[in-house]
Each structure stands twice: as C-alpha cells, then as structure tokens.
C-alpha cells in the first residue's frame, strides 16, 4: 500500500506449524539488489499477536550478492494451537535499505561515553 515501508512476502507452499515447531518456508521469489543495499525480512505483527508466529532470525538479511530464493524461518510460539498457511498467505515483509560501509580498526582502548559498558536494560534509568 502507498506509504508502507515493507512489501508482503507470501508462502509458496501449504504448511502447518505445530506448537513450538519451526520451518523453512519458501516464498517463490528471488531478488537482485544493487551493491550498497540490503533487504531485511521482518516478521508480521498480525501473525505474532493473533497466532504467536514470528521469525527465528529477525530481521533476516538478504545481501546484494544473493540470487537464490528467499525463504523465511517461521516459528509457532503458541503453546497449544497449530497454525496453517496456504500458498499465497502473507508470512513476512521485506524492507529494502541502503547500507553504510564501516571500516573496522583494531584499537587497545575505546573512547569513553556517558553510558560506558552498561547494557541490557540500562538505558532510561534515572
């Protein structure tokens, strides 16, 4: 739809995921990105809230040099209910972004910062 960042990705097969089951789901599409771009495969929020289905690796990176079929690793986190997808059902979304290339330099020490080494929930504390 107009203004949406993500393009729908659909399943190329009929598949059922039992509670706790994960599967590699083919999409039937391949893309060719120009150098300097990446396609990010994101889970669908509607599947997460309605069925407990998400992606195991999120987001999935599709590098510019990759030419194979896009496949999505889905997992059913619902503890009781299976979830079924038919061919053509939306299972993920694809966002294309330009990437910055970094030059990594090995150093002995890093410059200081206000946050330092605090992590895992440390931001936003008074």
């Amino acid at each position: 739809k107009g203004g949406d960042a993500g393009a729908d990705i659909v399943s190329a097969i009929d598949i059922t995921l039992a509670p706790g089951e994960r599967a590699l789901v083919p999409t039937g599409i391949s893309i060719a990105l120009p150098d300097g771009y990446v396609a990010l495969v994101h889970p669908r929020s509607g599947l997460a809230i309605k069925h407990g289905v998400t992606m195991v690796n999120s987001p999935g990176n599709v590098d510019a040099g990759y030419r194979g079929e896009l496949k999505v690793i889905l997992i059913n986190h619902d503890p009781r209910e299976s979830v079924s997808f038919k061919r053509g059902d939306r299972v993920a979304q694809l966002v294309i972004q330009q990437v910055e290339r970094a030059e990594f330099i090995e150093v002995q020490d890093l410059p200081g910062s206000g946050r330092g080494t605090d992590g895992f929930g440390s931001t936003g504390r008074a």
Side-chain angles (χ1 to χ4, degrees):
K1 294 183 178 164
D4 290 353
D8 290 332
I9 297 178
V10 301
S11 176
I13 61 171
D14 294 346
I15 188 168
T16 297
L17 296 174
E21 185 178 13
R22 68 180 178 271
L24 186 61
V25 179
T27 66
I29 63 170
S30 298
I31 59 174
L33 294 171
D35 189 44
Y37 285 82
V38 66
L40 302 173
V41 184
H42 293 276
R44 297 186 57 81
S45 58
L47 290 179
I49 191 65
K50 293 175 186 171
H51 304 288
V53 173
T54 191
M55 291 173 40
V56 175
N57 64 321
S58 176
N61 285 353
V62 181
D63 294 314
Y66 180 69
R67 294 296 185 269
E69 179 182 11
L70 301 184
K71 297 179 182 179
V72 180
I73 307 169
L74 294 182
I75 187 166
N76 179 5
H77 283 298
D78 191 287
R80 296 173 296 282
E81 299 293 325
S82 293
V83 63
S84 294
F85 296 98
K86 298 286 184 201
R87 182 176 185 208
D89 284 348
R90 296 175 298 168
V91 293
Q93 51 192 333
L94 191 70
V95 175
I96 310 273
Q97 291 184 326
Q98 196 167 6
V99 294
E100 294 290 331
R101 296 253 165 65
E103 179 182 345
F104 294 94
I105 302 169
E106 185 175 349
V107 298
Q108 295 300 314
D109 296 299
L110 296 175
S113 74
R115 182 173 177 179
T117 60
D118 292 341
F120 297 102
S122 65
T123 58
R125 282 193 249 159

